[in-house]
Amino acid sequence: MPNGSCLCQSVKYQYKGEPITRAVCHCHTCQKFSSGSSVNLLVPQDHFRITAGHAKEHDHTHDETGMHMKMHFCSECGTMLWKTADREEFKGSVVILAGTLDDPHALDDTAPEAEFFVGERAKWWRPVHGAQQLEGFT
């Protein structure tokens, strides 16, 4: 099972199986919480579990879509670990920030299938080869 954690190792998680999808998001919300675009893994909520610590939550309304999001982060080091959202496509799922995986090479063989909010992507960021290029989530 893939494992992940925050920078200080206070909060740890794991998930089983393959992600439903892998995507890069360039929306303004992702840019704000990640200091750039975010690489995300969508996994079923029942395949995800916290193995150590307790994440703090922050409620946020997505800037572009108005969906309600709950951000989960470490209260010690501030690392954003995962998020949940009430948008139909995300219900019953957890959106893991791929940079929090403990194995830095975990995604070497699996490129993102989609890029969201490509109109907000930094001009120097090249499109991911083979990934769907989307103006929003769909």
Side-chain angles (χ1 to χ4, degrees):
M1 280 198 226
N3 298 301
S5 58
C6 62
L7 186 61
C8 73
Q9 302 289 305
S10 293
V11 180
K12 298 179 181 186
Y13 67 84
Q14 65 182 199
Y15 68 91
K16 64 182 179 181
E18 285 297 311
I20 297 166
T21 193
R22 297 164 189 85
V24 176
C25 188
H26 302 285
C27 75
H28 188 247
T29 298
C30 284
Q31 289 179 25
K32 290 290 258 186
F33 72 67
S34 68
S35 295
S37 299
S38 67
V39 180
N40 304 287
L41 307 174
L42 183 68
V43 300
Q45 199 157 16
D46 61 352
H47 289 193
F48 175 84
R49 71 183 187 104
I50 299 168
T51 58
H54 179 75
K56 188 168 180 155
E57 298 176 353
H58 173 73
D59 291 320
H60 180 76
T61 301
H62 190 266
D63 295 336
E64 291 85 357
T65 67
M67 76 176 160
H68 179 259
M69 302 174 69
K70 194 171 289 277
M71 316 291 211
H72 302 264
F73 61 96
C74 175
S75 63
E76 297 297 316
C77 67
T79 302
M80 172 83 131
L81 296 155
W82 73 89
K83 53 197 172 197
T84 56
D86 66 358
R87 187 175 172 95
E88 194 59 39
E89 298 92 335
F90 301 127
K91 285 184 179 177
S93 299
V94 173
V95 181
I96 297 171
L97 276 72
T100 65
L101 292 173
D102 290 339
D103 178 359
H105 299 288
L107 302 178
D108 283 357
D109 297 328
T110 55
E113 293 107 1
E115 287 190 78
F116 302 130
F117 295 92
V118 295
E120 296 180 43
R121 177 176 51 214
K123 300 299 179 217
W124 51 262
W125 186 312
R126 299 290 177 245
V128 174
H129 178 73
Q132 276 188 300
Q133 303 295 301
L134 304 167
E135 289 300 324
F137 289 124
T138 55

